[in-house]
Amino acid sequence: MAVASFTPSKSLCRSHSPSSSRSSPPSISSSIGFSDGRRGSWARIVSGGLDLAGRSHAPAEMLVGSTSKEASSGIDGWRRRRRRRGGVGAIMCSADGIGSGLEIEQQQGLAAVVIPERAKVLALVALVMCLCNADRVVMSVAVVPLASQYGWSSSFMGIVQSSFLWGYPISNIAGGALADRYGSKRVMAWGVVFWSIATFLTPWAARHSTAMLLAIRALFGLAEGVAIPSMSTHLFRWFPCNERASAVGIAMAGFHLGNVMSLLVSPIILSSVGINGTFAFFASLGFVWLSAWTGRIPNDPRDSPDISHSELQLIRAGKIDSKTESSQLPPLRHLFSKLPALAVVLANVANNWGYFVLLSWMPVYFKTVYNVNLKQAAWFSAVPFGVMALSGYLAGASSDLMIKSGSSIIHVRKLMQTIGFIGPAVSLLLLRYAQTPTSAAVLMTMALSFSAFSQAGYFLNIQDIAPKHAGFLLGITNSVGTLAAIISTVGAGLFVQWMGSFQAFLTLTAAIYFVIAIFYNLHATAEQVFF
C-alpha cells in the first residue's frame, strides 16, 4: 500500500533529515510524499528539494515547531498509527489556505482523498446555514397562496412574515452566550431540532388559527436565532485568523444559497404536493443534517480524534489556550458605552433592515409591481441571492488576501463595510427607474451583492474587538438588528397598503445605509475592546 500527499501551495513543513541538509537537489513548487511499509523505504519531494533515503522517517507534520521531546512523542504516535494502518505512514504537509493539506491515500489500487478536518467542519456549517435560510424563505413563497386561501391583507402578510423575528432576539443573546460557554455544537444541534419541528407544523398552525400560526412562527424564529452566533463561534475556534474571512464567506454563501434553493424549489413542490408537502420536505432535511453533525465534529479542534498535528498547529497559532474562554459576560451598560461596539451594533441594524425587506418582500414586489406569476417571481428573486453567495465569498477571500499582504485589519474592515452599505443604497435609489422586471432584478442583484461585503466588515469586526465574548456580542447585535428587521418588514407592508408603492420605503432604507456607513467609518476599530 502506498500513500501520497500533496499541497498545491507553499508548504509550511520543515525537514529535519540530515540528508536534506547535505545536498542541494533541484527545487520544485509542490510537495509529494510516498512510502512503502513493506520495504521500509520512502521518497519525498518538497519545494526545497528531493530527499531519498533507504530508511523510514517520521512525517514532517510531527516535526513542525516541535521540541526534541515533542518530536519524539510525535514520532512514537506516528509509528503507532503506522502499525494501525498496516505499516504505512501518511505524510501530510500543511499549507496556506482552507484547502491545504490534501492527502491522497492509495490502497490495493483504490485512491481515497482525505481532506483537512476544518474543511469538513466548514462544509457542514455551510449546509446548516443553507437549511437555516431555506426553511425561513419557504414562508416568503408560501405566504402568497396562504394569503389567497385565508384572505389575508398586505398588512397582515407583513405581520406573519415578521412573526419569525419575535423570538429571534432572545435566542440570539442566549445562543451566543451558551455557545461561548459550552460550545456551539450542542447549541446548533438543538436549534436545528426545534426549527425543523416548527417548519413541519406551520401548515397545521395556519389551518388551526391565526394565533397558533404566529406562535409557531415565533418558535421557529426562537430556534433559528442560535444559528449565526453558533456559526461564528464555531468557525472562530476552527480557523486561523488569515482564513476566517474566507470561512465566513463560504458559510454565508451557504446561507444565501438557501434563499435560492427555497425560492426555486418551493413553487415546484407547492404545485406538485401542496403546502403541507413543501414544509415537510424542508423540515426533513434538518434531521438528515443532524445525523452528520452529531458524529465526529467536536466544539474544539483539540478534541478531534482525526485532526493532524500540523493542521492543529495552524489553527491554534496565536489563539488563547483555554477552551472555555470566559465565564463572565460584559455588562450591557459597559458594552453600549463603547463606540466601537455601538458601531457594529448599528451596522447590524442597517444590514438587517435592508436584507429583510428584500428577503421578505421580493416575491411580492415582482408580483405586485410587474404582475409576474409566482414561479417567475421566484426566479427573479432567486438570482440576486445566488450572486450574493458568490460576492460574499469573494469579499472574504479578498479581505484575507489584503490582510496577508500587510494591509491594516481595520482599514480592510472599513473598506468592506463601506462597499457593503454604499453599494446597496445607490442600487435601491436607482430601482425607481427600472421599467422591466429584468432591470429591477439586475438592480436588486447589485444591492444584495454589495451588501454581502458586510460579512467581511462589521461581522468579522466583532471577533476583533471581543474575541472572548464574540458569540454574546454577536447575539446582542443580531437582537438589536432583529428589532430593526421587524420594523422594516412590517413597515414595508404598511407603506404598500397606505401609499400603494414600495419606492418610498426603499428610499428610506437607502438613507439608513448612508448614515450608518459614515458612523461606522468614524468609530470602528480592530483593537480588542472587551477582555
Side-chain angles (χ1 to χ4, degrees):
M1 178 171 68
V3 176
S5 68
F6 67 89
T7 57
S9 56
K10 183 179 178 182
S11 175
L12 297 180
C13 296
R14 297 289 184 269
S15 173
H16 288 247
S17 170
S19 62
S20 65
S21 63
R22 292 193 298 267
S23 61
S24 300
S27 176
I28 63 173
S29 60
S30 61
S31 173
I32 305 174
F34 58 88
S35 65
D36 190 329
R38 292 171 298 179
R39 295 191 295 272
S41 63
W42 76 294
R44 185 185 55 174
I45 303 172
V46 296
S47 58
L50 175 66
D51 187 4
L52 297 169
R55 58 188 179 278
S56 296
H57 288 251
E61 69 175 74
M62 289 301 172
L63 302 176
V64 180
S66 302
T67 64
S68 59
K69 181 177 179 181
E70 291 169 336
S72 175
S73 172
I75 292 170
D76 290 341
W78 173 70
R79 286 170 178 162
R80 286 194 295 271
R81 290 198 301 273
R82 285 192 61 173
R83 287 193 292 272
R84 288 197 299 269
R85 296 180 182 182
V88 177
I91 302 174
M92 181 187 294
C93 293
S94 176
D96 293 331
I98 293 174
S100 64
L102 183 65
E103 180 179 334
I104 300 179
E105 183 168 328
Q106 186 177 7
Q107 182 174 6
Q108 297 177 350
L110 298 176
V113 177
V114 181
I115 61 177
E117 288 303 304
R118 66 192 188 280
K120 299 176 187 177
V121 170
L122 180 57
L124 284 174
V125 171
L127 281 174
V128 77
M129 296 309 295
C130 178
L131 291 176
C132 175
N133 224 17
D135 288 354
R136 183 186 306 182
V137 174
V138 66
M139 190 63 178
S140 297
V141 177
V143 72
V144 176
L146 284 171
S148 176
Q149 182 177 350
Y150 297 109
W152 298 342
S153 65
S154 295
S155 58
F156 185 72
M157 287 170 64
I159 293 172
V160 172
Q161 297 275 53
S162 69
S163 60
F164 152 80
L165 301 169
W166 297 352
Y168 201 76
I170 301 171
S171 57
N172 260 269
I173 299 173
L178 289 171
D180 284 340
R181 182 71 184 273
Y182 299 109
S184 49
K185 176 182 178 178
R186 187 180 303 174
V187 177
M188 182 73 85
W190 281 110
V192 173
V193 168
F194 283 109
W195 91 52
S196 297
I197 292 173
T199 299
F200 181 78
L201 293 176
T202 296
W204 167 83
R207 290 193 305 271
H208 187 274
S209 67
T210 298
M212 182 62 70
L213 173 63
L214 298 179
I216 289 295
R217 296 304 294 171
L219 173 64
F220 175 77
L222 187 71
E224 283 214 340
V226 307
I228 290 182
S230 296
M231 177 271 290
S232 176
T233 300
H234 209 75
L235 295 185
F236 176 76
R237 292 177 176 174
W238 271 91
F239 284 86
C241 181
N242 62 356
E243 293 180 2
R244 202 170 299 143
S246 297
V248 169
I250 292 172
M252 294 304 292
F255 185 77
H256 302 313
L257 288 175
N259 285 329
V260 178
M261 180 178 76
S262 191
L263 285 168
L264 296 182
V265 173
S266 295
I268 298 173
I269 302 177
L270 276 169
S271 62
S272 302
V273 296
I275 294 175
N276 288 349
T278 304
F279 282 92
F281 170 77
F282 284 99
S284 66
L285 295 179
F287 292 102
V288 173
W289 177 88
L290 277 169
S291 64
W293 181 254
T294 54
R296 296 171 68 86
I297 303 296
N299 286 310
D300 193 284
R302 288 170 291 182
D303 297 328
S304 173
D306 303 315
I307 196 169
S308 69
H309 180 76
S310 60
E311 185 180 8
L312 183 59
Q313 280 191 323
L314 180 66
I315 293 171
R316 293 300 305 165
K319 290 190 178 181
I320 300 170
D321 286 335
S322 59
K323 292 185 182 179
T324 303
E325 308 286 3
S326 176
S327 59
Q328 178 121 21
L329 299 175
L332 291 180
R333 180 182 301 178
H334 177 59
L335 190 152
F336 284 106
S337 68
K338 303 293 185 180
L339 286 175
L342 192 58
V344 297
V345 170
L346 290 178
N348 201 320
V349 166
N351 186 69
N352 277 15
W353 180 287
Y355 180 80
F356 277 93
V357 166
L358 296 177
L359 175 67
S360 300
W361 287 100
M362 199 178 294
V364 180
Y365 172 83
F366 281 106
K367 188 174 188 305
T368 303
V369 177
Y370 298 104
N371 196 30
V372 298
N373 62 43
L374 185 59
K375 287 185 179 180
Q376 289 175 319
W379 274 102
F380 281 117
S381 304
V383 170
F385 289 107
V387 179
M388 186 182 187
L390 176 61
S391 66
Y393 170 71
L394 293 176
S398 300
S399 177
D400 283 341
L401 182 61
M402 291 174 66
I403 291 172
K404 287 178 184 178
S405 300
S407 298
S408 165
I409 291 178
I410 189 56
H411 288 162
V412 174
R413 301 283 189 255
K414 288 182 177 180
L415 173 63
M416 296 297 165
Q417 194 56 64
T418 300
I419 296 172
F421 280 171
I422 302 302
V426 173
S427 299
L428 292 180
L429 290 177
L430 292 175
L431 194 60
R432 70 186 306 158
Y433 302 106
Q435 301 296 320
T436 65
T438 301
S439 59
V442 169
L443 288 169
M444 286 192 175
T445 299
M446 291 173 57
L448 288 170
S449 298
F450 285 128
S451 71
F453 279 73
S454 293
Q455 297 164 192
Y458 84 88
F459 193 91
L460 288 173
N461 197 196
I462 293 171
Q463 298 281 4
D464 299 329
I465 66 175
K468 295 182 181 180
H469 309 288
F472 176 69
L473 180 55
L474 181 57
I476 293 291
T477 61
N478 269 353
S479 297
V480 178
T482 299
L483 296 177
I486 293 173
I487 296 171
S488 69
T489 305
V490 176
L494 293 175
F495 265 67
V496 172
Q497 185 170 328
W498 292 343
M499 304 183 66
S501 171
F502 280 95
Q503 192 54 51
F505 200 77
L506 294 178
T507 302
L508 173 62
T509 300
I512 292 173
Y513 274 132
F514 280 122
V515 172
I516 296 183
I518 295 171
F519 187 90
Y520 183 85
N521 276 277
L522 289 175
H523 300 295
T525 180
E527 301 297 324
Q528 186 171 347
V529 176
F530 302 101
F531 295 88

